């Protein structure tokens, strides 16, 4: 049996978000242990013009939920980008996972050749379901999860490859 589009999205997003949650757990524990204000980690960037850790988590969640709602032709689920703490970021991840777990497989599978349009400020980018997942959604999702990992690692949080991979 061929791999279905659902298998390339929902389980991978859930696994990645759970890994991201674990990274945040380690970040929070590190901040507490070292007496670092968590806001310092929340606002961490690798360079001045980059979005901070909070945005990386928000973008990872948005990519996951946006992908499945576009593919499945489901109602978009808005989440305000107001998180300022580890607990609030964890809540956003948890709500995203709940949304992903509720998506019926039959809403995603069979949409490989369906027209999917990504609306961005000032443009609409057309994809097929397959190309959206393989050339945009998965690379974008992992970009933000990886960037969150790198921000925590740069700050001294003791995370490693197995933390990123989610304990394989």
């Amino acid at each position: 049996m061929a791999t279905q589009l659902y298998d390339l999205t929902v389980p991978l997003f859930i696994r990645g978000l759970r890994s991201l949650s674990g990274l945040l757990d380690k970040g929070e524990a590190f901040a507490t242990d070292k007496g670092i204000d968590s806001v310092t980690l929340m606002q961490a960037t690798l360079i001045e013009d980059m979005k901070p850790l909070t945005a990386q988590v928000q973008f990872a969640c948005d990519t996951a939920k946006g992908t499945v709602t576009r593919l499945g032709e489901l109602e978009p689920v808005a989440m305000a980008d107001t998180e300022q703490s580890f607990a609030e970021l964890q809540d956003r991840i948890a709500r995203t996972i709940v949304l992903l777990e509720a998506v019926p497989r039959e809403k995603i599978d069979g949409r490989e050749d369906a027209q999917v349009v990504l609306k961005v400020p000032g443009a609409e980018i057309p994809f097929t379901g397959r190309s959206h997942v393989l050339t945009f959604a998965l690379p974008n999702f992992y970009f933000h999860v990886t960037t969150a990992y790198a921000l925590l690692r740069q700050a001294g949080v003791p995370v490693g490859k197995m933390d990123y991979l989610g304990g394989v």
Side-chain angles (χ1 to χ4, degrees):
M1 178 180 186
T3 300
Q4 300 292 319
L5 206 51
Y6 181 94
D7 297 325
L8 295 174
T9 55
V10 174
L12 296 177
F13 289 145
I14 290 171
R15 181 184 171 111
L17 290 171
R18 286 185 176 145
S19 295
L20 183 55
S21 176
L23 294 169
L24 292 177
D25 282 340
K26 287 197 169 193
E28 183 174 27
F30 176 81
T32 300
D33 184 52
K34 300 293 183 190
I36 298 169
D37 182 2
S38 64
V39 173
T40 301
L41 288 179
M42 295 291 108
Q43 296 305 312
T45 63
L46 297 174
I47 193 163
E48 285 179 27
D49 66 348
M50 136 182 231
K51 298 287 187 185
L53 176 64
T54 51
Q56 302 306 322
V57 175
Q58 292 161 350
F59 294 152
C61 290
D62 289 349
T63 298
K65 70 184 178 66
T67 299
V68 298
T69 57
R70 277 189 291 281
L71 282 173
E73 298 180 307
L74 304 167
E75 277 300 312
V77 176
M79 291 184 184
D81 296 334
T82 58
E83 293 83 10
Q84 298 290 318
S85 68
F86 283 105
E88 291 171 338
L89 290 174
Q90 292 286 14
D91 179 64
R92 186 183 185 116
I93 291 170
R95 287 183 290 129
T96 304
I97 290 172
V98 167
L99 181 148
L100 293 169
E101 290 174 336
V103 174
R105 174 181 278 278
E106 58 272 11
K107 293 297 253 177
I108 306 295
D109 284 346
R111 303 270 303 146
E112 290 78 7
D113 296 318
Q115 177 82 13
V116 174
V117 177
L118 176 63
K119 295 178 183 179
V120 296
E124 291 187 357
I125 306 168
F127 294 96
T128 64
R130 180 184 297 106
S131 70
H132 177 62
V133 168
L134 296 176
T135 67
F136 178 79
L138 289 175
N140 191 57
F141 177 77
Y142 286 114
F143 172 86
H144 292 295
V145 174
T146 300
T147 302
Y149 167 88
L151 289 167
L152 292 169
R153 182 88 168 117
Q154 179 191 38
V157 178
V159 293
K161 186 175 185 178
M162 294 310 289
D163 297 301
Y164 174 84
L165 293 174
V168 192

